[in-house]
Amino acid sequence: MQQVRLSDIEARVYDAVAALEARGQVPYPDMIAQECGLTEEQLQTPLHLLTEKNLLHREDSPMAGLDFGPRFCAQQLA
């Protein structure tokens, strides 16, 4: 199986998402940014790249009328 190469910032973002999920917290962009010490603006590119690499997937708010923004969930690394 091919191993995916991540930049340092991509690895930090992925680890932040995984850590939030492990603690039972919802990985919204503001929480991810806080966890990895970035601004939400700095987070946009790594989130996009990790989604393209199928390491994260974006989920929109499942409840109608309650939109807290997208959340990003980690895919399992094989």
Side-chain angles (χ1 to χ4, degrees):
M1 180 167 173
Q2 183 178 352
Q3 197 166 23
V4 178
R5 291 192 177 261
L6 300 178
S7 68
D8 288 340
I9 194 167
E10 289 171 327
R12 281 175 48 200
V13 170
Y14 181 85
D15 290 343
V17 171
L20 288 166
E21 289 180 325
R23 292 194 305 261
Q25 296 176 291
V26 181
Y28 291 118
D30 61 334
M31 298 283 292
I32 300 168
Q34 182 179 357
E35 182 76 17
C36 61
L38 299 172
T39 66
E40 285 189 61
E41 194 170 280
Q42 292 170 314
L43 192 64
Q44 296 306 311
T45 298
L47 282 177
H48 177 73
L49 293 171
L50 289 166
T51 302
E52 281 186 344
K53 293 176 181 180
N54 292 320
L55 295 175
L56 296 181
H57 68 275
R58 176 187 167 132
E59 294 179 356
D60 291 315
S61 183
M63 300 189 316
L66 291 178
D67 187 8
F68 297 110
R71 61 181 180 243
F72 292 84
C73 302
Q75 307 281 24
Q76 294 299 323
L77 292 176

